[in-house]
Amino acid sequence: MAKIKGWNPEIKRQKILDSAIKILNQKEYYKCPIDEIAKNAGVAKGTVYLYFKNKEDLHLSVLINLIDKVIDIAENVKKNDSPAKRQLFLLLQRIFNFIDTYRHLFLSIRQEAKPPLKEKLHNQFRKKIGELIKAISIIIEKGIKDKELKPYPSVAIATVFLSLTSIIAHQKVEIGKHKIQQIDISTELLFKIFMEGIRR
Amino acid sequence: MAKIKGWNPEIKRQKILDSAIKILNQKEYYKCPIDEIAKNAGVAKGTVYLYFKNKEDLHLSVLINLIDKVIDIAENVKKNDSPAKRQLFLLLQRIFNFIDTYRHLFLSIRQEAKPPLKEKLHNQFRKKIGELIKAISIIIEKGIKDKELKPYPSVAIATVFLSLTSIIAHQKVEIGKHKIQQIDISTELLFKIFMEGIRR
Amino acid sequence: MAKIKGWNPEIKRQKILDSAIKILNQKEYYKCPIDEIAKNAGVAKGTVYLYFKNKEDLHLSVLINLIDKVIDIAENVKKNDSPAKRQLFLLLQRIFNFIDTYRHLFLSIRQEAKPPLKEKLHNQFRKKIGELIKAISIIIEKGIKDKELKPYPSVAIATVFLSLTSIIAHQKVEIGKHKIQQIDISTELLFKIFMEGIRR
Amino acid sequence: MAKIKGWNPEIKRQKILDSAIKILNQKEYYKCPIDEIAKNAGVAKGTVYLYFKNKEDLHLSVLINLIDKVIDIAENVKKNDSPAKRQLFLLLQRIFNFIDTYRHLFLSIRQEAKPPLKEKLHNQFRKKIGELIKAISIIIEKGIKDKELKPYPSVAIATVFLSLTSIIAHQKVEIGKHKIQQIDISTELLFKIFMEGIRR
DNA sequence: TATGAATGAGTGTTCATTCAT
DNA sequence: GATGAATGAACACTCATTCAT
């Protein structure tokens, strides 16, 4: 506390987090040494371990941080009082843009973690994802109530909706980026399918 | 030492490939030492390098192998002469089942996104994905021709369709497996949305 | 901030020393971070460095502190005016009990054997051991003078005597604790051998 | 098997073991990086891990190796058909000389090991120590049978006997080596005390 | 005097890859 | 072609020590 006037652990923690976001978004988890993340944050390797229990913790914290931002997006869209359909379109667009920026990171959601942390960290992560899906499903419920949308289970629909965003992320990576052929899956088309389906 | 009559490099290659499929489907790429894959295939570590350039090559070969099987599924469904809509439903179901079996492997496709990938290997992979999308888009084109489906760009629709299958794979792992709440996204619901949309 | 009246550096030093004794007696030197010792003493890590030059210094100070206590035991026994033989038995028993309590710490004395030890620190340690041996040898000299004991060189006998106590410490840890077989080397047997030998 | 004509895993294992004996005898366990042991053995770090599970395993293997040599000494003395007393004196002398050479190593018997190995490795170690004590106690039993020695429990006496040897080792390190005063505890004196005691 | 954030050298261990046989 | 011993780069993590406050 006495260390630096105005020293704030949250600021340094965020600095490391930001560095981790940047580095982990450039390449695979296993190609991102803690040391590189630390250097990029302008701190020593050991400092990272003052703020994060281990690499796994840092990784999950990064993901939680990102999802928080997506939740913010959803909350903002919810405030807007357009009809649900319009809100969902805005949400799709905004999440898409966001995910597009952090594509690698969103793809890096790994399944493994060292046993002792696995549970605690992963629980936090799952909880965050749950929060996000909840936020989306509230919009959908409104749409159902207003007879805009079919009365499907809102959480399921929210989950599909959320997946649509990552469809785009995947496409971009697997195909778009490598130029086989620029498959044109615009937000508009995707949304149209989501709303009206492809059946004539 | 004396070559066995009928010895076939393809058989040994496939044996290694099968072993790799098994092992890589159990855990992350970075947790699967070549040695384990070799042992499981009943060959020595060095032997793997006679059939595959390196671990990355083996991994991509495994993925290509899998996608080949999905292409087979698509080709089989195509032969069936039901209407496109029915074919797509069958395809969704079958691919889903397939992906479900090789979930870990399909999730590892995301790993491929890393930039410094050897071009040659990756080209093959992209080509395979292209083949698969082509196969699916042929079904869709038929549906459009038969006025079953809206005249959207068939390749784009095929891509969305393909992504739907992996939605399920992801859901299962990230949410289902960890028991937050069994979100029920049945093939039926997903297909219904794909066909009719969620708008009332 | 304002100095507490009666504040005494010796008290804080001893607090740290006591904490170090406790922690270092629980596990190996290399498994005892300074931080843990500091926390346990209720001070900050940096404070330890105000009272001790470094970890090695702290360790040696702990050992010297312990040997001081053993010297106290010897001095106390000396005051008792039983015959030398009786005194030696009492001493064996009491030192044994003491060592038994601080077994881990006494085993860590061996670590000191490493050559590059700072001379100053080590000199103090050796001096302390010398003091202890001196105290014991005085008892032995008395025994020799009183014709209770054979006229062997008293310092040598004192050294052997001291070693007998650590025999027990080692036995307990290496064998007793791991339950091979409870080898029964009672203080009594050991003392009998020391006095009478094993020859019939 | 096909690797090098006459390739023998035991030879290389022993080479590493010999190097470890040398290095671990120079300084503390924690100051002996695997890398240094490997380099000294003329192999790469990784090679050590082909022959030993981990550092702990290597360390205990070294200790077992040494104790084996002490057992050999004991077995050899046993073959000699002098009376037990003479045999014990020879044994004391020879073990002393041996321990003197590997003083540091004998002092390095550590109490800790990583949990999973702890049991297996330590069991082996304890078994070895047990073997050694058994070998010594056979000599003692013979002495008891021949009425040379008092009928004390042979295993306990063997344990005390074994400890006598390390007394010498400790003396040398703690006092002799650092020249406070050369305390002269000759093998002869020690043996005399062991046989006849110090009581007049 | 006291603090505790920051440092970064140090090390055990893994594993893809090579190559002599 | 097949083997598997050998290699050594790479990396996560620890912890004694320093120093600005």
Side-chain angles (χ1 to χ4, degrees), chain A residues 28 85 109 111 199-200, chain B residues 85 110-111 147 199:
Chain A
E28 280 187 273
K85 193 186 153 188
I109 297 171
Q111 309 305 323
R199 198 168 91 181
R200 200 183 245 187
Chain B
K85 194 187 152 185
R110 331 186 274 198
Q111 306 275 354
K147 316 265 179 188
R199 197 169 93 181

Side-chain angles (χ1 to χ4, degrees), chain A residues 172-187:
Chain A
K172 281 270 180 134
V173 171
E174 285 162 20
I175 293 177
K177 200 177 181 185
H178 295 294
K179 299 167 239 164
I180 295 179
Q181 51 182 145
Q182 260 299 358
I183 295 175
D184 182 25
I185 312 178
S186 62
T187 323

Side-chain angles (χ1 to χ4, degrees), chain A residues 3 45 49 55 114:
Chain A
K3 186 75 196 287
K45 208 193 317 187
Y49 287 88
K55 199 182 174 185
K114 273 178 248 152

